[in-house]
Amino acid sequence: MQRQNARRPARLHATLVLAMLAGAGWWCMAGSGAMAAAEKAPEKASEKVGPRRIVSLNMCADEYLLALADRGQIAGLTRNAADPQMSAYAARTRGMRLLSGSAEEVLAIDPDLIVGMPARRSAVVTALAGQRYPTLDLASAKSLADIEEQMRAVSNAVGKPARGAAMIADMERALAALPRNGHGRVAAYYQRRGYLTGTGTLVDDLMHRVGLVNLAEKLHKPALSRLSIEELIAARPDFIIVESATDTVRDQGTEMLHHPALKDIPRLTLPQAWTVCGSPAYVAAARSLDAQLARH
């Protein structure tokens, strides 16, 4: 606790300084879903504050850190952070340390912040309980509001509140500009092996964002349920939304999504990496989905 208290004056100074930075730049989502880095004015050495050895214990925590923290602040990420099928920020992890998930690795880093979902319940933090490392607990995001709340929490924790506020403002502007081409049509987010994504999920929030009605809502299905091909056809959705990785048949689970009975239902695709975690990639997913709807 003494170590944590000793850093408080520096963190308070960081918050005051960063709040005064009017032009803190950051990258934003491109319409195609790619993320471009915006030029940011170099920081003076005296302004570089906040934790300097941050460790992530969760793939979604990886994404928030990669979006909001300086690269030099991040001391360790999970192995999934570098998987482009799972993480929207995989390209940013080149040269960064990926952890296997052992307490020994974290102990060797001696982090000044551990981020997880939640961090305090992880096996690693439990094993290191005697070290009393500062932790930041995040929860799974089920809506844009959840994403923004966690972005504020992470940006404050890493000493970049102005950066977080700027990202949130840009996200809201981008989403407000969407034409919402769903026009009340019905879509089913259909996954391999016949799983249907329901209400109270990030995908459901995304569908409503572009003007779609979730088939699971009409069928009174929970957050995750099974729906046979026969039931799906009988429900007559206007669209099927699938993960782009299922465009080719790789196993029995993906083969189901290519059943001839589904060929007449228009198909929309999204990378899993844009929806598996709540992050600024939500904007890329919304833009892509809305653009695909415009073509129908």
Side-chain angles (χ1 to χ4, degrees):
M1 293 300 293
Q2 291 179 351
R3 182 192 313 170
Q4 184 176 4
N5 291 336
R7 285 193 295 267
R8 284 179 180 168
R11 289 178 178 170
L12 177 59
H13 176 69
T15 302
L16 293 174
V17 172
L18 288 168
M20 295 170 62
L21 294 177
W26 68 289
W27 52 263
C28 61
M29 303 291 173
S32 64
M35 289 166 284
E39 291 295 328
K40 185 180 66 172
E43 297 174 319
K44 297 179 181 178
S46 61
E47 294 174 335
K48 291 188 177 180
V49 292
R52 296 178 182 274
R53 297 181 307 282
I54 307 172
V55 166
S56 169
L57 302 180
N58 175 272
M59 181 181 69
C60 297
D62 293 337
E63 293 201 15
Y64 283 115
L65 289 176
L66 288 165
L68 294 161
D70 287 343
R71 182 181 179 90
Q73 290 180 282
I74 304 173
L77 301 167
T78 73
R79 293 193 180 279
N80 285 331
D83 184 349
Q85 294 294 326
M86 299 295 290
S87 174
Y89 299 86
R92 297 189 181 192
T93 64
R94 181 172 296 180
M96 302 186 77
R97 183 172 182 178
L98 303 179
L99 307 177
S100 64
S102 72
E104 290 77 13
E105 283 179 307
V106 177
L107 184 63
I109 292 172
D110 188 28
D112 48 9
L113 180 64
I114 298 176
V115 185
M117 297 186 118
R120 282 176 289 187
R121 293 184 185 177
S122 71
V124 170
V125 172
T126 299
L128 298 173
Q131 302 299 318
R132 297 184 179 179
Y133 291 123
T135 59
L136 175 62
D137 295 331
L138 302 177
S140 178
K142 298 179 180 179
S143 66
L144 175 64
D146 290 345
I147 294 173
E148 292 182 347
E149 180 181 352
Q150 294 188 30
M151 288 179 67
R152 291 187 187 96
V154 173
S155 61
N156 287 334
V158 303
K160 308 294 180 185
R163 182 178 299 173
M167 285 188 179
I168 290 170
D170 280 0
M171 287 173 63
E172 291 181 346
R173 280 192 292 269
L175 293 170
L178 287 178
R180 293 174 58 86
N181 287 306
H183 302 304
R185 289 175 288 181
V186 179
Y189 193 92
Y190 206 46
Q191 301 178 60
R192 58 195 314 277
R193 299 191 180 280
Y195 282 99
L196 183 71
T197 300
T199 58
T201 63
L202 189 62
V203 165
D204 180 67
D205 185 81
L206 179 65
M207 291 168 70
H208 284 284
R209 184 76 49 186
V210 297
L212 288 172
V213 174
N214 191 345
L215 176 63
E217 182 178 356
K218 292 191 65 176
L219 299 178
H220 306 290
K221 296 288 187 179
L224 188 65
S225 61
R226 294 287 292 272
L227 193 72
S228 69
I229 290 177
E230 293 78 11
E231 290 173 311
L232 180 62
I233 295 171
R236 302 181 65 184
D238 296 298
F239 303 101
I240 298 175
I241 305 174
V242 298
E243 295 169 0
S244 53
T246 64
D247 285 346
T248 57
V249 176
R250 299 182 180 181
D251 50 31
Q252 289 184 338
T254 54
E255 184 179 22
M256 180 179 182
L257 298 176
H258 293 267
H259 194 284
L262 301 178
K263 66 180 179 62
D264 293 329
I265 305 177
R267 185 167 299 211
L268 313 173
T269 63
L270 286 175
Q272 181 185 17
W274 289 355
T275 60
V276 70
C277 288
S279 76
Y282 179 99
V283 175
R287 282 176 162 171
S288 175
L289 199 55
D290 205 58
Q292 292 177 69
L293 287 167
R295 295 195 287 270
H296 292 278

